[in-house]
Amino acid sequence: MAESQSGSTKFLPGSIEDKLMGAARSGDIEMLYRLIGEDEEVLKRIKKMKFVDTPLHIAAAEGKTDFAMEIMYLKKSFATKLNKHGLSPLHLALQNGHTKLALSLLKIDESLVSVKGKKGFSPLHFLVMKETNRDDLIKFLKNYPQCIDDVTSRNETALHVAAKNNNVTALRVLLRWLRRTNNRSMLQKQKIINATNRDSETVLHIEVSNPHPDPEAVSLLTKLRINTKAKNWKNQTALDILEGRTQEDSCNIWKCLCILRLPRCLQAVGRIPSYLLEVISQWGYEIKHMSADRGNALLVVTVLILTATYQATLSPPGGVLQANAGSNDNKPSSLQVYFGSNNTANHVVEKIEFKANSTAGSSVLRTGPFLWFFIPNMVAFSSSFLLTCFVLLTLVSGFFAFVLMLSLSTLLFCLLDSAVLIISPNDSSSKILFCFVYILVYITYLAIAPVVIPKIRRFFR
């Protein structure tokens, strides 16, 4: 046997092995079985060879999905073999842009996602080099989230590789996925984001060194709380690198400079939504990775808190006014919301009726003590409601989880409605609670929406 110019093993012309490689290039499955019929040991002989391009390598490089799948069923061990370039069939498929073929191979054997090749590159590292299809990137990360921890021999993560190859699409997808995923805890996310390679460079150092650094990627990195003060082997921060490039005529550089020069106090304010998202993701991570016994125990505690806070709302401290304790002021107050301009004759008015002051069923507390009691009580109820929803989505099947969450939502509505319209002592406390309740409900349902909506979609398909 001789070696071809490409570096792959070249079998003797006319041999069974040579014909088999030709069948792999053309994707001829019928030829494959004819050759196996002529020589049943052909696949076994190729398997015994070290660092060889197997028929699976050839099919993966050429994008012959059906042929590759057929070989996987016949000789799955070919998928872990490395050729003379140190690449597996999965690496070759991703290197040549055949992402769907690679995903098909992974469906047969998920362990292939951890096979490392030349320079310690995993399949994800090859994927983020060139892949610009967001759907394929998201699907890969969703199905194989553990690969985000893989590093090369230079201690580079997939983030480093995407930034180094200037694949902006892949870098953005990776960063957005890290923000939203509950497959990693906050500490694990921070470790991935702030990881440094052998030259002490974070992904931020590499991104700002690119000819056209991406402001959106830099903004996402700051929202994920990357250490902007980290220094590389040249003792430079990312800001130092950008300031050294101010003479270049690039608007992207100036945009990145503005992001990194933003005062810390303003950065902290801008990160509030990110903090909330991180807390919710952390809750999801903790619940997803806890045992069934701990999940059941958590569910018991959250239900107890729901019960206690709900009962406290219906029976506030000091009790409520009775039917004969009403005051002379029985006229309800209202809040009018205008849609459109007040100067036009035909505008739409949404009128929200509040209760009359000190009517039957109102709390005997004054406005200040009432709000000091009810607002923390509602926060406790909403937090328990949110945790209960997460636990139910983890422990219960989709349909039953949906029904239970609908019941809990009705309970939440009854609680908030009674607090705003019935038990509040006067119209001023009603209006304050109305604003607070609106924000609380919005945040609560916004938190569970990313988890609930995909489940509902799958149910109705």
Side-chain angles (χ1 to χ4, degrees):
M1 291 184 297
E3 191 173 305
S4 67
Q5 292 179 352
S6 63
S8 60
T9 303
K10 186 175 181 181
F11 296 96
L12 293 174
S15 65
I16 294 291
E17 290 85 354
D18 185 57
K19 292 179 181 178
L20 186 57
M21 296 306 166
R25 289 188 184 90
S26 61
D28 192 342
I29 297 175
E30 297 301 323
M31 176 62 75
L32 166 66
Y33 282 101
R34 281 202 298 270
L35 293 171
I36 291 175
E38 293 179 21
D39 186 350
E40 297 179 357
E41 301 295 318
V42 60
L43 295 179
K44 188 179 291 185
R45 286 199 303 273
I46 294 175
K47 179 187 174 182
K48 290 180 180 178
M49 299 173 66
K50 296 182 178 179
F51 303 106
V52 63
D53 276 306
T54 68
L56 185 56
H57 285 80
I58 302 299
E62 297 292 333
K64 306 299 180 182
T65 304
D66 293 335
F67 192 94
M69 297 296 284
E70 207 68 30
I71 291 290
M72 279 292 288
Y73 293 131
L74 293 172
K75 193 66 71 173
K76 191 191 293 187
S77 58
F78 282 174
T80 58
K81 287 184 72 67
L82 303 180
N83 63 10
K84 290 191 176 182
H85 295 291
L87 303 177
S88 72
L90 196 60
H91 291 121
L92 286 171
L94 293 169
Q95 187 181 54
N96 289 279
H98 307 308
T99 305
K100 288 180 173 56
L101 189 155
L103 290 170
S104 298
L105 295 179
L106 286 168
K107 282 184 180 178
I108 298 177
D109 188 358
E110 290 188 5
S111 65
L112 296 177
V113 78
S114 60
V115 175
K116 290 193 174 185
K118 184 179 180 180
K119 297 181 180 179
F121 276 55
S122 71
L124 179 61
H125 294 131
F126 274 90
L127 179 67
V128 299
M129 282 184 186
K130 298 179 180 179
E131 184 60 67
T132 56
N133 187 307
R134 292 182 69 258
D135 293 335
D136 287 342
L137 287 162
I138 292 169
K139 187 175 182 180
F140 195 97
L141 290 167
K142 181 181 178 181
N143 293 338
Y144 314 103
Q146 70 276 14
C147 62
I148 196 67
D149 298 317
D150 293 338
V151 294
T152 67
S153 58
R154 286 183 50 80
N155 205 39
E156 292 180 329
T157 65
L159 296 171
H160 287 93
V161 175
K164 185 173 286 187
N165 287 271
N166 206 20
N167 190 344
V168 175
T169 302
L171 183 58
R172 289 179 183 177
V173 169
L174 287 169
L175 293 173
R176 288 179 183 136
W177 178 83
L178 270 174
R179 284 186 71 188
R180 293 177 173 86
T181 185
N182 58 9
N183 286 292
R184 291 292 179 273
S185 67
M186 285 191 288
L187 291 176
Q188 290 171 330
K189 289 179 183 180
Q190 285 299 299
K191 184 178 178 181
I192 294 168
I193 287 293
N194 289 295
T196 57
N197 61 14
R198 203 185 295 168
D199 296 327
S200 301
E201 295 175 319
T202 65
V203 61
L204 185 59
H205 286 103
I206 295 174
E207 181 58 30
V208 299
S209 300
N210 285 332
H212 302 285
D214 181 42
E216 185 175 343
V218 173
S219 177
L220 284 169
L221 285 166
T222 57
K223 288 176 182 177
L224 282 163
R225 291 184 291 146
I226 192 170
N227 182 13
T228 56
K229 302 297 182 182
K231 295 184 178 182
N232 61 10
W233 64 281
K234 294 181 180 179
N235 204 34
Q236 292 179 314
T237 65
L239 186 59
D240 294 335
I241 295 173
L242 285 173
E243 287 175 343
R245 301 179 61 188
T246 52
Q247 72 278 6
E248 298 180 28
D249 186 18
S250 173
C251 62
N252 282 10
I253 291 177
W254 288 103
K255 288 178 181 179
C256 293
L257 272 170
C258 292
I259 294 169
L260 293 181
R261 284 173 174 172
L262 197 67
R264 288 190 176 183
C265 57
L266 294 179
Q267 287 183 10
V269 172
R271 289 175 185 170
I272 289 176
S274 300
Y275 292 149
L276 291 173
L277 192 62
E278 284 185 20
V279 170
I280 293 165
S281 296
Q282 181 67 16
W283 282 0
Y285 173 82
E286 296 290 346
I287 292 169
K288 187 174 181 179
H289 291 83
M290 69 171 51
S291 63
D293 290 339
R294 289 188 177 185
N296 291 329
L298 178 61
L299 193 58
V300 169
V301 173
T302 55
V303 169
L304 286 174
I305 296 173
L306 285 173
T307 305
T309 51
Y310 190 78
Q311 186 60 36
T313 301
L314 298 179
S315 303
V320 296
L321 293 174
Q322 301 304 312
N324 58 357
S327 69
N328 295 327
D329 186 7
N330 292 319
K331 184 179 179 180
S333 61
S334 62
L335 175 66
Q336 291 185 338
V337 181
Y338 291 85
F339 297 91
S341 173
N342 289 338
N343 297 326
T344 59
N346 299 318
H347 57 261
V348 180
V349 179
E350 179 69 22
K351 189 174 183 180
I352 303 172
E353 292 287 347
F354 289 103
K355 53 176 293 175
N357 293 335
S358 302
T359 56
S362 299
S363 173
V364 299
L365 296 173
R366 294 191 301 274
T367 302
F370 174 81
L371 294 176
W372 275 110
F373 169 75
F374 261 81
I375 290 178
N377 187 72
M378 287 183 183
V379 171
F381 184 91
S382 299
S383 301
S384 301
F385 170 81
L386 191 58
L387 280 173
T388 304
C389 290
F390 278 132
V391 175
L392 288 175
L393 289 168
T394 305
L395 300 179
V396 186
S397 62
F399 174 74
F400 292 106
F402 174 72
V403 172
L404 288 170
M405 286 180 60
L406 186 62
S407 302
L408 281 171
S409 299
T410 306
L411 185 67
L412 177 63
F413 173 79
C414 292
L415 170 76
L416 302 177
D417 184 63
S418 63
V420 172
L421 300 178
I422 301 173
I423 302 177
S424 55
N426 49 53
D427 64 296
S428 61
S429 60
S430 293
K431 291 174 182 177
I432 294 171
L433 276 181
F434 177 80
C435 296
F436 178 78
V437 163
Y438 179 82
I439 296 170
L440 197 63
V441 171
Y442 179 78
I443 292 173
T444 301
Y445 282 100
L446 188 65
I448 63 175
V451 182
V452 175
I453 291 175
K455 288 182 176 288
I456 295 175
R457 283 178 178 171
R458 286 199 295 269
F459 175 72
F460 286 106
R461 279 178 183 170

